[in-house]
Amino acid sequence: MIDLGLILKSEDVDKLSHTERLSVNYQRMADMLKEKFELDKTDYRSGYLQGEASAYQMVGEEIQMIF
């Protein structure tokens, strides 16, 4: 949300381009985090990383759908 807020408040004319890059970066973050946990583990670290990866993926997908 902070990243989107900064883009919207900026005076840059090409906000759509920045938003598209942000979406790509979020997808990269989700992919990177998915490599760091195992689905069959139930420890705190794996659960936290799964949640964080899901958050990046959902936000990236929502940005793509909206813009």
Side-chain angles (χ1 to χ4, degrees):
M1 295 309 296
I2 292 171
D3 294 334
L4 287 174
L6 291 173
I7 289 173
L8 293 174
K9 289 179 183 177
S10 75
E11 296 181 10
D12 192 356
V13 179
D14 195 12
K15 293 180 183 184
L16 186 59
S17 173
H18 292 298
T19 307
E20 289 172 357
R21 276 188 263 150
L22 185 63
S23 174
V24 169
N25 286 339
Y26 282 169
Q27 187 59 46
R28 285 184 190 154
M29 287 293 294
D31 293 341
M32 181 192 71
L33 289 168
K34 287 179 185 177
E35 295 173 1
K36 296 188 180 284
F37 64 83
E38 298 177 26
L39 289 174
D40 60 342
K41 285 197 175 182
T42 58
D43 61 347
Y44 176 81
R45 182 179 183 277
S46 291
Y48 179 84
L49 291 173
Q50 288 177 33
E52 193 169 350
S54 295
Y56 277 114
Q57 185 170 351
M58 287 186 333
V59 170
E61 289 173 4
E62 287 184 24
I63 290 171
Q64 288 177 355
M65 286 180 4
I66 293 170
F67 296 101

